Every structure is written in structure tokens, then in C-alpha cells.
Amino acid sequence: MAHKITLIPGDGIGPEVTSAARRCIEATGVKIEWDEVIAGQAAQDQSGNILPENVLESIRKNKVALKGPIITPIAGGFRSVNVAIRQALDLYACVRPAKSYAGVNSSYKNIDLVVIRENTEDLYAGIEFQEGETQTRDLIQLIEKYSQKKLRLDSAISIKPISKYASERIVRFAFEYALKFGRKKVTAVHKANIMKFTDGLFLKTAREVAGEYTAKITFEEAIVDNMAMQLVKVPRNYDVLVLPNLYGDIISDLCAGLVGGLGISPGANIGDGIAVFEAVHGAAPKYQGLNKVNPTAMILSGVLMLRYLREDKAAERLEEAVKDVLAEGKFVTYDLKPNRNDPTSAGTREMAEAIIKNLK
Ligand code: NAD
């Protein structure tokens, strides 16, 4: 039976990279019925709504989506459509593997890390109070009353909620992920030495959950600033990292940098029985329509999607084909060439074509 998948082409380079990924996924022979829906700038232009309700309905119905990047409008409306989708569907786990591939220029080799980021709370909850507003001044007074600490009246305030519920489910997700994919160690990353209540709760909960898994998976703790240094010094000492939202955002980009950058970094946003697969990179509007950008991140997001659909063999074949094309270094986009102005660089379509030809 065909898998029903929601396809969101997205903005900027989104339609080009999702089309490349779609062709590669279809070439594996896995039967997919795509339900294409429009979100982002095109939806805004068509209907005045950047995230139409039928987009969320389609994902809720099909349970799996492949999504291109969507621009974040500078002013008005949603803080970010991407964050809105994650929150509306409670896609609480953001999974970002960072893996070295031969042929990709990077200072490090043989990296194989997975960053698991909590996706629904922390400073990303979007609870902010603007400087100078009456509410903000009221809040400042309230905080002073309860904390006995002085705040400057011209402060802006962001709220950092961290719950036991969300901490428990993300840490459990990380351990279950480690078990499922044969990983050996989970490191919980925090700043509980300073943020004793919020990060403290995350860490205490992580320790409790880890207790259920210690027979099979090693558990470690790391303070986020030290983690950043250790990842740059000895990245191979780490395996699966689990972090609250903001640290997860920053550390996952650091890890993408360790293996060669945005062009090859896939991602998934996963909830209970529902998942949206997307590259880590954004819409790169300056390259829109030029058939120039690297489709690898989106194709590898497709590999993660195939694994999620339990199409392991197809996932393996597609990843191998990507590896072969990267290692050969011939039919790759400009960003993977030693000289970015190399006139022999492949276009987005041509690189996808080479990957399809390498499918075994
Ligand atoms: P970006 O990732 O779009 O671009 C940063 C730079 O990375 C680009 O100039 C380009 O040089 C490079 N790059 C990105 N993808 C590439 C690819 N596939 N191949 C080769 N090079 C690539 O980040 P940005 O400029 O900060 O964001 C542009 C827009 O995308 C913003 O509106 C932002 O909000 C949005 N965005 C969306 C998502 C998402 O949908 N999940 C993620 C990040 C950014």
C-alpha cells in the first residue's frame, strides 16, 4: 500500500530541493501518494494566509510530511511558520543527525552525532514582553515583589518555561531513539548550575528517566558552554545529545558545522505518531530558481523519513547513493566543490539525477 505523505514545497529554494528529494525517494521504488499543500509566501499571496488550515489538516491526516523551508516574515503575523507548525502539531522532538561523509570538506572526520532538541517550550515558547509597555512594567513590579530583585524599568522580558512533563518526554524520546538505532550514550546538556529551577528541573528529570535505561545506555551530563568546547575539541566522544530548546538550536548548528554545514544537514520534527521532515537550512531566497543549491540536506531528510516509515532498505540504498555521489565529488553542487566558482559544479537537478543513477 502506498504511504500518504504531505508535501510542502516551501519558499525560496524550497520547491527545488523538495522536488529533488521527491524524485530520489520515488526512485527507490517505495510507493508514495503525495498530498501537496502550500504554506509560506505562495500561500500568503494566494489566500492572505501564510499557514492555511488545510496544511495542518493534511499533516494531521497523513501523519507524515516532507517540508521545504519557509521564510519568516520580518513584520507581523507569525513569529515563524516553522515554529507554528511544530507547536500546533506538538512535534516535541527535533532530531538532527550530524554525520561525516567522505568528499564533504570539513575539519573533522568520522563524526556521527545526533542532536535531540526539545521543540515546544523554553525561551522559544514565544512569551515576550516589549520594553516600555504597561504590561511589561506591571510584570516587572510583580517580579520585584516575588523575587526581591531589582529590574531596570526599561527592560524587555522573555519567559523561559521548562516543565517536568516536556523534559521527561524529550529525554525518554532520546533514550528510545538510542535503543532503536543502536546508540551507546545519551548526554543531557543544561545550565543547571545557574538556572537552578528551569534547567535544574530538566536535569533532575533527565537523571530520573536515565535510571530506567542505565543497563543498556550510558548517561552523561554536560554544562552547555563546556559542551560547545568539548564538541569542537573531541566531538567523537559524543553520541546522542538531548537539550532544551534554545541550547538545542545553537548546538545543532555547531554540529552541522562540524560535518560540513547546512547543505548536508537533515532534520525531523517528531511528535506522538506524527512527524515532519525538513532540512536544517532555510529558504536562501537569493538562490531561488537558479537550480544551484545543494539538495543533499533535503534528500537526507527523505532518508530519515523512509526510516520512520519503516522502509529501512530504501533508506539505506538512498543514503548509500548520496554517499557515493558525495565521495566521487563530480556531480555535486558548488558548495561542495573545493572552489565554489568551479564551472563544472552540478545544479540541484543534476546532483539529484546522479544520486538516482547511483541507486543500487
Ligand atoms: P538560509 O539557510 O536560508 O541561508 C543561509 C546561507 O546558507 C545561504 O546564503 C546559503 O549560502 C547557504 N545555504 C542554505 N541552504 C543551502 C543549500 N541547500 N545549498 C547551499 N547553500 C545553502 O538561512 P537564512 O538566510 O538565515 O534564512 C533565510 C530564510 O529562511 C529566513 O526567512 C528564515 O526565517 C528562513 N528559515 C526557514 C527555516 C525552516 O523552514 N525550517 C530554517 C531556517 C531559516
Short mmCIF file of all heavy atoms in Angstrom, two decimals, residues 280-307:
data_model
loop_
_atom_site.label_atom_id
_atom_site.label_comp_id
_atom_site.label_asym_id
_atom_site.label_seq_id
_atom_site.Cartn_x
_atom_site.Cartn_y
_atom_site.Cartn_z
N VAL A 280 17.80 21.35 7.71
CA VAL A 280 18.09 22.36 8.73
C VAL A 280 18.14 23.76 8.10
O VAL A 280 17.75 24.75 8.71
CB VAL A 280 19.43 22.03 9.45
CG1 VAL A 280 19.85 23.15 10.38
CG2 VAL A 280 19.32 20.71 10.20
N HIS A 281 18.57 23.81 6.83
CA HIS A 281 18.76 25.14 6.21
C HIS A 281 17.44 25.85 5.94
O HIS A 281 16.37 25.25 5.97
CB HIS A 281 19.60 25.03 4.93
CG HIS A 281 18.94 24.26 3.82
ND1 HIS A 281 17.86 24.72 3.13
CD2 HIS A 281 19.23 23.05 3.29
CE1 HIS A 281 17.52 23.84 2.21
NE2 HIS A 281 18.33 22.80 2.28
N GLY A 282 17.57 27.15 5.64
CA GLY A 282 16.40 27.97 5.35
C GLY A 282 16.14 28.11 3.87
O GLY A 282 16.63 27.31 3.05
N ALA A 283 15.39 29.15 3.52
CA ALA A 283 14.87 29.31 2.16
C ALA A 283 15.87 29.95 1.19
O ALA A 283 15.59 30.02 -0.01
CB ALA A 283 13.59 30.15 2.21
N ALA A 284 17.01 30.39 1.69
CA ALA A 284 18.08 31.01 0.88
C ALA A 284 17.53 31.74 -0.34
O ALA A 284 17.84 31.38 -1.48
CB ALA A 284 19.10 29.94 0.46
N PRO A 285 16.71 32.78 -0.14
CA PRO A 285 15.98 33.39 -1.26
C PRO A 285 16.87 33.88 -2.40
O PRO A 285 16.45 33.87 -3.56
CB PRO A 285 15.23 34.57 -0.62
CG PRO A 285 15.47 34.50 0.84
CD PRO A 285 16.43 33.40 1.16
N LYS A 286 18.12 34.22 -2.08
CA LYS A 286 18.96 34.76 -3.17
C LYS A 286 19.28 33.69 -4.23
O LYS A 286 19.67 34.03 -5.35
CB LYS A 286 20.23 35.42 -2.63
CG LYS A 286 21.25 34.47 -2.06
CD LYS A 286 22.49 35.24 -1.59
CE LYS A 286 23.41 34.28 -0.85
NZ LYS A 286 24.57 34.86 -0.25
N TYR A 287 19.11 32.43 -3.89
CA TYR A 287 19.38 31.36 -4.86
C TYR A 287 18.11 30.79 -5.50
O TYR A 287 18.19 29.84 -6.27
CB TYR A 287 20.15 30.22 -4.18
CG TYR A 287 21.56 30.61 -3.77
CD1 TYR A 287 21.99 30.48 -2.47
CD2 TYR A 287 22.45 31.09 -4.71
CE1 TYR A 287 23.28 30.82 -2.10
CE2 TYR A 287 23.74 31.45 -4.36
CZ TYR A 287 24.15 31.31 -3.05
OH TYR A 287 25.42 31.66 -2.69
N GLN A 288 16.97 31.39 -5.16
CA GLN A 288 15.69 30.87 -5.65
C GLN A 288 15.66 30.75 -7.17
O GLN A 288 16.04 31.69 -7.87
CB GLN A 288 14.56 31.81 -5.20
CG GLN A 288 13.21 31.40 -5.72
CD GLN A 288 12.09 32.23 -5.11
OE1 GLN A 288 12.34 33.08 -4.26
NE2 GLN A 288 10.87 31.98 -5.54
N GLY A 289 15.25 29.61 -7.67
CA GLY A 289 15.04 29.42 -9.11
C GLY A 289 16.31 29.29 -9.93
O GLY A 289 16.25 29.26 -11.16
N LEU A 290 17.47 29.21 -9.29
CA LEU A 290 18.72 29.19 -10.05
C LEU A 290 19.24 27.76 -10.29
O LEU A 290 20.27 27.59 -10.93
CB LEU A 290 19.81 30.00 -9.31
CG LEU A 290 19.50 31.48 -9.07
CD1 LEU A 290 20.65 32.16 -8.33
CD2 LEU A 290 19.23 32.21 -10.39
N ASN A 291 18.53 26.76 -9.79
CA ASN A 291 18.99 25.37 -9.91
C ASN A 291 20.45 25.25 -9.45
O ASN A 291 21.28 24.66 -10.12
CB ASN A 291 18.85 24.88 -11.37
CG ASN A 291 19.16 23.39 -11.51
OD1 ASN A 291 18.80 22.59 -10.65
ND2 ASN A 291 19.87 23.04 -12.56
N LYS A 292 20.74 25.82 -8.30
CA LYS A 292 22.13 25.95 -7.87
C LYS A 292 22.41 25.27 -6.53
O LYS A 292 23.48 24.70 -6.33
CB LYS A 292 22.44 27.46 -7.75
CG LYS A 292 23.90 27.79 -7.54
CD LYS A 292 24.09 29.29 -7.64
CE LYS A 292 25.43 29.72 -7.09
NZ LYS A 292 26.57 29.46 -7.93
N VAL A 293 21.43 25.32 -5.61
CA VAL A 293 21.74 24.89 -4.23
C VAL A 293 21.79 23.38 -4.08
O VAL A 293 21.29 22.62 -4.92
CB VAL A 293 20.72 25.45 -3.21
CG1 VAL A 293 20.82 26.94 -3.13
CG2 VAL A 293 19.32 24.97 -3.51
N ASN A 294 22.37 22.99 -2.97
CA ASN A 294 22.61 21.59 -2.64
C ASN A 294 21.32 20.91 -2.17
O ASN A 294 20.75 21.33 -1.16
CB ASN A 294 23.67 21.57 -1.53
CG ASN A 294 24.19 20.20 -1.26
OD1 ASN A 294 23.64 19.21 -1.71
ND2 ASN A 294 25.27 20.14 -0.51
N PRO A 295 20.89 19.86 -2.86
CA PRO A 295 19.66 19.16 -2.41
C PRO A 295 19.91 18.11 -1.33
O PRO A 295 18.97 17.48 -0.85
CB PRO A 295 19.18 18.49 -3.70
CG PRO A 295 20.44 18.16 -4.44
CD PRO A 295 21.43 19.26 -4.10
N THR A 296 21.20 17.90 -0.94
CA THR A 296 21.54 16.76 -0.06
C THR A 296 20.79 16.79 1.27
O THR A 296 20.27 15.77 1.72
CB THR A 296 23.06 16.74 0.21
OG1 THR A 296 23.73 16.74 -1.03
CG2 THR A 296 23.46 15.51 1.01
N ALA A 297 20.72 17.97 1.92
CA ALA A 297 20.07 18.04 3.23
C ALA A 297 18.62 17.57 3.13
O ALA A 297 18.12 16.84 3.99
CB ALA A 297 20.13 19.47 3.76
N MET A 298 17.96 17.98 2.05
CA MET A 298 16.55 17.60 1.88
C MET A 298 16.44 16.12 1.53
O MET A 298 15.54 15.43 2.02
CB MET A 298 15.97 18.47 0.75
CG MET A 298 14.50 18.61 0.78
SD MET A 298 13.95 19.49 2.26
CE MET A 298 12.47 18.58 2.54
N ILE A 299 17.36 15.62 0.72
CA ILE A 299 17.33 14.19 0.35
C ILE A 299 17.60 13.33 1.58
O ILE A 299 16.94 12.33 1.82
CB ILE A 299 18.34 13.90 -0.79
CG1 ILE A 299 17.91 14.66 -2.06
CG2 ILE A 299 18.44 12.40 -1.07
CD1 ILE A 299 18.94 14.67 -3.17
N LEU A 300 18.57 13.77 2.42
CA LEU A 300 18.84 13.01 3.65
C LEU A 300 17.68 13.12 4.64
O LEU A 300 17.44 12.20 5.42
CB LEU A 300 20.15 13.49 4.29
CG LEU A 300 21.43 13.12 3.52
CD1 LEU A 300 22.66 13.74 4.20
CD2 LEU A 300 21.62 11.60 3.41
N SER A 301 16.93 14.23 4.59
CA SER A 301 15.71 14.30 5.40
C SER A 301 14.72 13.25 4.89
O SER A 301 13.99 12.63 5.68
CB SER A 301 15.07 15.69 5.31
OG SER A 301 15.98 16.68 5.73
N GLY A 302 14.73 13.04 3.56
CA GLY A 302 13.91 11.97 2.97
C GLY A 302 14.36 10.59 3.45
O GLY A 302 13.54 9.70 3.67
N VAL A 303 15.67 10.43 3.65
CA VAL A 303 16.20 9.15 4.18
C VAL A 303 15.66 8.93 5.60
O VAL A 303 15.20 7.84 5.95
CB VAL A 303 17.75 9.15 4.17
CG1 VAL A 303 18.31 7.98 4.97
CG2 VAL A 303 18.27 9.13 2.74
N LEU A 304 15.68 10.01 6.41
CA LEU A 304 15.13 9.89 7.78
C LEU A 304 13.65 9.53 7.70
O LEU A 304 13.15 8.72 8.49
CB LEU A 304 15.29 11.22 8.54
CG LEU A 304 16.69 11.76 8.79
CD1 LEU A 304 16.62 13.07 9.58
CD2 LEU A 304 17.55 10.75 9.53
N MET A 305 12.95 10.13 6.73
CA MET A 305 11.52 9.86 6.59
C MET A 305 11.28 8.39 6.21
O MET A 305 10.41 7.73 6.77
CB MET A 305 10.92 10.78 5.53
CG MET A 305 9.42 10.63 5.38
SD MET A 305 8.75 11.72 4.12
CE MET A 305 8.97 10.68 2.67
N LEU A 306 12.10 7.88 5.28
CA LEU A 306 11.94 6.47 4.88
C LEU A 306 12.17 5.54 6.07
O LEU A 306 11.45 4.56 6.26
CB LEU A 306 12.90 6.14 3.73
CG LEU A 306 12.53 6.73 2.37
CD1 LEU A 306 13.68 6.57 1.38
CD2 LEU A 306 11.26 6.08 1.81
N ARG A 307 13.15 5.89 6.93
CA ARG A 307 13.39 5.05 8.12
C ARG A 307 12.18 5.10 9.05
O ARG A 307 11.76 4.09 9.60
CB ARG A 307 14.63 5.53 8.89
CG ARG A 307 15.89 5.17 8.19
CD ARG A 307 17.07 4.89 9.13
NE ARG A 307 18.17 4.51 8.28
CZ ARG A 307 19.10 5.36 7.83
NH1 ARG A 307 19.10 6.63 8.20
NH2 ARG A 307 20.04 4.93 7.01
#
